[in-house]
Amino acid sequence: MKKITSPIYDILGISSATICLVHCLLFPLLTVLPLGLNHNPYIDLIFALIGLFAIVKIIKKTDIIISGILILSIALICVSVLAEIFFEIHLDLIIIGGVGMIIGHFLNYKSHKRKQDDTTTRF
């Protein structure tokens, strides 16, 4: 049963990181339009916390390269979000971190799928 839980966290991480990346790429375009929208860094913080939750759940069960990608990515996202909240400085590190999160979760998902395929072909 434990093999099912990790892919769920990977799917959560991929989804959250993709939504966050789309938000970060499209929101600046929406602020140019006279719609009265303001950027709220706390939305970015929510995405970062969801990603951090997913990373904490899967980090112990993955190899060192994928763990490194995920930890570096969440660190870049957190630095960017905290810089925006405390210093009102927008850093593009959040975009790099979002892409890294998608890549890391996708690699981890593929790794689990490959391991699951290996165990089912043996029996």
Side-chain angles (χ1 to χ4, degrees), residues 10 58-59 62-72 100 103-112 114:
D10 284 324
I58 66 172
I59 201 88
T62 188
D63 45 343
I64 192 78
I65 294 172
I66 296 172
S67 296
I69 291 171
L70 291 173
I71 290 171
L72 178 64
I103 292 169
H105 282 295
F106 183 73
L107 290 174
N108 194 43
Y109 181 77
K110 286 291 193 183
S111 172
H112 283 294
R114 187 174 35 244

Side-chain angles (χ1 to χ4, degrees), residues 5 12 14 26-27 29 43 55 60 67-68 70-71 82 85 89 94 106 108 123:
T5 58
L12 175 69
I14 291 168
L26 292 181
F27 195 80
L29 298 175
I43 293 173
I55 287 174
K60 300 170 199 138
S67 296
L70 291 173
I71 290 171
L82 293 176
I85 289 173
I89 300 170
I94 197 165
F106 183 73
N108 194 43
F123 297 113

Side-chain angles (χ1 to χ4, degrees), residues 1-13 53-54 57-58 61 105 108-109 112 116:
M1 290 274 173
K2 286 198 170 198
K3 293 183 182 201
I4 295 172
T5 58
S6 187
I8 291 172
Y9 292 125
D10 284 324
I11 292 170
L12 175 69
F53 172 76
K57 291 293 186 180
I58 66 172
K61 301 172 190 169
H105 282 295
N108 194 43
Y109 181 77
H112 283 294
Q116 189 176 26

